[in-house]
Amino acid sequence: MNSLPPSTQDLGFPDILQALSRKKWFLLGGALLFACISLGYALYAGPTYKATAIAAMTTPVDLNSYNVGVQTAGQALDEIMLTSDPKSDWVQMTPLKDLTPKEAYAIFLRHLNSTHNRVQFFEEFYLPANGLDAASLPLVERDAHWTRYMQSLLIAMPHKDTPDAPVMLNLRDKDASRAASLLNQYVVLALTTSQQELQQTLRHDVQSRIHVIDQQIQAMRATAASNQQARIVQLRDALELASRINLEQPAQQGNVITSFTGDTMYLRGSRALKAELRQVQARQDNDPYIERLDSVMRRRNLLETIDTRAIQLQAATMDQPAMVPQLPVMPAYQFALWGVLAGLLAGAAATVIGLYLRQARN
C-alpha cells in the first residue's frame, strides 16, 4: 500500500525539473554562498601538503657486516666443541644463524608501526619541529597534538599475503619542507631502532658464548688444581717409600728406558721425587699444563674481538625518500569547486523537499 498522499503521487520528474528551473537563482545563490564559505575556510586554514616515502626490503650486501659477526661467533664455539673431550659435560648451544633480508625487513616493519616508535618520534621530533616541548606541554594540549599527529601520519603496511612488499608512508603538514623532513626522520628512526635491536641480539649471543667458555675455563682450571693436589699426594707417598728402602737414584734397567709411574713411582729415587715435589708445591699457575686451554683461550679472544657496536647493517632500504611536495593536497580552487557542488546539492534538496511539502498540503 502506498503511504504517499494522492496529490504527491502525481508529482513526476518533469515537475521537479520545472521547480528547479523556477528556483535557479536560489540554487545559484546557495552555490555561491557555499563556495565563499569553502574558499574562506581554505584561505584561513592554509594549504596542507603531503609528503610520501617508500621503504623496501634490504639486500644481502647490507647485512654482510652482521652475518660476518654471526659466523665468527659460531665458528669460535664450534671449534671449541670439536677440540673438547667428547666425554665431557659440554652443553651444545643453539648455533647462530645468518640474518636474511626477509627477517630483517620483518623487524623493521615491526618497529616502523610500533606504538613505541610513534611515541618516541612524537616527543623527540614532531613536537620540537612545531616549537613545542613534550615535558612542559599541558596534558590537554598534548592530547590534541597527538590526535592531529596520528591523523597526519599514515602507514600503508604490506598485506599479510605479500609481507615482502614495499611500505608506503604519508605525512600531512602545513609546511611542505617540514612534512618531508619529518617523514624522513621517522623512517630513519625505525631503521635505527631496528639496527639497535639486531646489534643487541648479537651482543647477547656473543656474551652468552663467552660466558659458556669462561665456565669451561673455570672447570679446566679447577680440574688442574685438583690434579696438582693429587700429584703432590702421589709424590709424597712415593718419596716416603723410596726413603724407607734408601733408594736415592732411579733403579738401573740397563739400556731400557722405563717411565716409573703409579705404583712404581718410588723407583725414580728420593732425589728426583723431592725435586719434583718442591716444583709441584711451588707452582702457582697451572695454565701452561692444562691441555687444550690455549685453544679455548684463543676462541674466547676471538669472540671478544667482535664489536657489535661497530657492526653496520640496514634492516630496510629507503626506496624513495620523502621529497618536498610542491602542490598542496587540495588547492583553494578545489575547495571552492566542492563548495559549489555542495551548494547546488543542498539547494536542489531544499527545493524538492519544499515541492513535496506544498503538494502534500494542497
Side-chain angles (χ1 to χ4, degrees):
M1 181 178 180
N2 201 329
S3 60
L4 292 174
S7 58
T8 61
Q9 293 181 10
D10 298 335
L11 190 61
F13 187 70
D15 299 323
I16 296 176
L17 290 179
Q18 187 177 5
L20 293 176
S21 178
R22 290 196 302 268
K23 296 288 186 178
K24 59 182 178 181
W25 294 112
F26 172 75
L27 297 177
L28 292 176
L32 181 61
L33 176 62
F34 274 74
C36 292
I37 294 175
S38 301
L39 184 60
Y41 171 79
L43 295 177
Y44 172 76
T48 299
Y49 296 91
K50 181 178 71 172
T52 301
I54 300 176
M57 184 184 300
T58 189
T59 62
V61 176
D62 296 325
L63 304 177
N64 276 347
S65 178
Y66 180 89
N67 287 331
V68 166
V70 169
Q71 293 166 7
T72 302
Q75 181 183 8
L77 187 63
D78 291 341
E79 293 188 11
I80 291 172
M81 293 174 62
L82 290 175
T83 57
S84 300
D85 186 356
K87 298 181 180 179
S88 66
D89 295 332
W90 182 268
V91 179
Q92 183 173 0
M93 300 181 65
T94 303
L96 297 177
K97 297 181 180 179
D98 287 354
L99 182 67
T100 64
K102 186 174 182 179
E103 293 170 340
Y105 189 55
I107 294 174
F108 166 74
L109 292 179
R110 175 164 52 82
H111 282 277
L112 186 71
N113 201 35
S114 67
T115 303
H116 179 270
N117 199 72
R118 291 174 183 265
V119 172
Q120 182 180 356
F121 179 80
F122 175 73
E123 295 178 347
E124 297 181 6
F125 296 94
Y126 184 82
L127 289 180
N130 287 273
L132 302 171
D133 182 18
S136 60
L137 197 64
L139 185 59
V140 176
E141 189 175 351
R142 175 191 173 90
D143 290 342
H145 283 285
W146 171 260
T147 302
R148 190 179 303 113
Y149 158 70
M150 291 297 291
Q151 292 174 348
S152 64
L153 178 62
L154 300 177
I155 303 177
M157 298 291 289
H159 193 269
K160 61 180 181 180
D161 296 332
T162 56
D164 304 340
V167 56
M168 179 179 292
L169 302 92
N170 294 321
L171 181 66
R172 296 173 180 249
D173 198 277
K174 299 294 183 181
D175 190 313
S177 299
R178 185 170 58 192
S181 176
L182 285 175
L183 190 57
N184 287 329
Q185 289 174 341
Y186 186 86
V187 178
V188 170
L189 177 62
L191 289 172
T192 302
T193 53
S194 302
Q195 176 178 333
Q196 290 173 349
E197 178 184 335
L198 292 169
Q199 289 175 335
Q200 184 177 0
T201 301
L202 181 58
R203 186 182 308 116
H204 177 268
D205 291 336
V206 170
Q207 292 300 322
S208 298
R209 279 149 176 75
I210 291 178
H211 177 67
V212 171
I213 294 176
D214 286 341
Q215 287 182 325
Q216 188 191 23
I217 293 174
Q218 184 179 359
M220 295 172 72
R221 285 173 173 167
T223 301
S226 178
N227 292 338
Q228 180 185 14
Q229 296 301 318
R231 184 66 176 176
I232 291 174
V233 173
Q234 293 173 357
L235 290 171
R236 284 175 177 173
D237 292 343
L239 176 60
E240 182 180 356
L241 183 57
S243 299
R244 286 183 180 182
I245 63 176
N246 296 321
L247 181 63
E248 292 187 358
Q249 300 294 336
Q252 298 297 325
Q253 300 293 329
N255 294 328
V256 179
I257 300 176
T258 304
S259 176
F260 298 111
T261 59
D263 294 337
T264 62
M265 187 184 298
Y266 72 94
L267 295 177
R268 295 172 55 189
S270 59
R271 183 175 298 180
L273 293 172
K274 286 180 181 179
E276 183 179 355
L277 180 60
R278 286 194 297 269
Q279 181 184 27
V280 174
Q281 286 177 331
R283 183 187 302 164
Q284 300 295 326
D285 184 10
N286 290 314
D287 286 2
Y289 302 90
I290 300 177
E291 185 180 2
R292 300 189 310 275
L293 180 61
D294 56 340
S295 175
V296 176
M297 292 298 296
R298 284 197 301 269
R299 308 310 170 194
R300 188 187 190 283
N301 295 336
L302 178 61
L303 288 173
E304 287 189 332
T305 60
I306 302 176
D307 186 3
T308 56
R309 293 171 298 181
I311 292 178
Q312 299 298 322
L313 71 152
Q314 199 168 356
T317 301
M318 184 79 84
D319 190 53
Q320 176 186 313
M323 306 297 292
V324 178
Q326 302 301 317
L327 297 176
V329 176
M330 185 177 294
Y333 74 88
Q334 289 188 4
F335 272 96
L337 291 178
W338 281 108
V340 171
L341 180 59
L344 290 174
L345 291 177
T351 301
V352 173
I353 292 174
L355 179 61
Y356 270 90
L357 291 177
R358 287 195 299 272
Q359 288 289 102
R361 284 198 301 268
N362 292 334

